[in-house]
Amino acid sequence: MSMSEDFRHFDFAELTPRERYKWLIGTVIPRPIALVTTLSSAGKPNAGPFSFFNVLTHDPAIVGIGIENKADGALKDTARNIRDTGEFIVHICDTALVEKMEICAIKFDDDIDELEAAGLATRPGLSVRAPRILKAPTALECKRMFTLEVSPARQIVLGEVVGIHVRQNLVNDNLHVDQIGMDAVGRLGGHSYSRTFDQFEHVTLTPEQWHTA
């Protein structure tokens, strides 16, 4: 660690993985939460939340999800199912979904269906076979583009969004989403969450406007 003016600097090469994790989740905030559903090759459903997630580009429409392997190095069900089937659905969580989303985060044995345990009703996607959670305000149907094996313990899945479901009362004819009505939650450090009710607008100036301001 070094001191510079009013800042403390930490060299990541000198930190443990756990220490790097704490700095990242405490400073890159809020992070959107992807509640990901998949089907195994045998047709068994699975659900799990991931906050190392975001949309990366719109043309093509790509989302990225960081997935850590299990402690013994085995793939988590989400990663294995995406590898085997090439399909998944990302659900954006609102406040009403948080408690059930946290149930899906429990490290259940393989014989437990997280969606059933959480009491979440689903129906198959339209472009993918993975189950869509009906309680979620928005669901993005995705097909895997490729997976980056960034380390023996971690991978990043890039998926193309091939369809989106938006709750009827949240979108108008101009395709504008009611962002207050979405009530999307974000992940902070530790066990904390944030809500998106406190919003403000600030329009980017053109070069001409900046020069005349």
Side-chain angles (χ1 to χ4, degrees), residues 113-164:
D113 180 341
E114 295 87 356
L115 293 166
E116 182 179 347
L120 288 169
T122 66
R123 68 177 54 157
L126 297 179
S127 299
V128 301
R129 296 187 307 118
R132 177 170 69 88
I133 297 172
L134 302 182
K135 190 176 179 65
T138 305
L140 290 73
E141 297 190 5
C142 303
K143 293 189 176 181
R144 185 179 71 90
M145 291 193 71
F146 51 86
T147 300
L148 303 174
E149 302 286 349
V150 295
S151 80
R154 293 164 184 82
Q155 55 188 280
I156 297 172
V157 174
L158 298 184
E160 180 176 4
V161 181
V162 296
I164 185 169

Side-chain angles (χ1 to χ4, degrees), residues 70-107:
K70 296 180 180 180
D72 62 0
L75 294 179
K76 287 185 176 178
D77 292 340
T78 296
R80 185 185 65 250
N81 292 349
I82 293 175
R83 181 197 61 187
D84 291 346
T85 68
E87 298 179 347
F88 60 100
I89 297 182
V90 169
H91 303 82
I92 302 301
C93 294
D94 59 9
T95 303
L97 194 55
V98 168
E99 185 174 344
K100 294 181 181 297
M101 177 267 291
E102 281 284 6
I103 293 175
C104 294
I106 297 173
K107 295 179 173 59

Side-chain angles (χ1 to χ4, degrees), residues 21 28 31-32 35 41 47 53 72 83 86 109 142 171 200 205:
Y21 172 77
V28 183
R31 299 183 308 282
L35 178 52
S41 56
F53 153 74
D72 62 0
R83 181 197 61 187
D109 292 335
C142 303
V171 61
F200 64 93
L205 300 176

Side-chain angles (χ1 to χ4, degrees), residues 24-67:
L24 290 174
I25 67 167
T27 57
V28 183
I29 55 174
R31 299 183 308 282
I33 302 165
L35 178 52
V36 180
T37 55
T38 57
L39 282 180
S40 70
S41 56
K44 179 183 177 182
N46 176 262
F50 300 88
S51 70
F52 281 14
F53 153 74
N54 218 314
V55 60
L56 304 180
T57 182
H58 72 284
D59 188 19
I62 303 298
V63 295
I65 306 170
I67 304 176

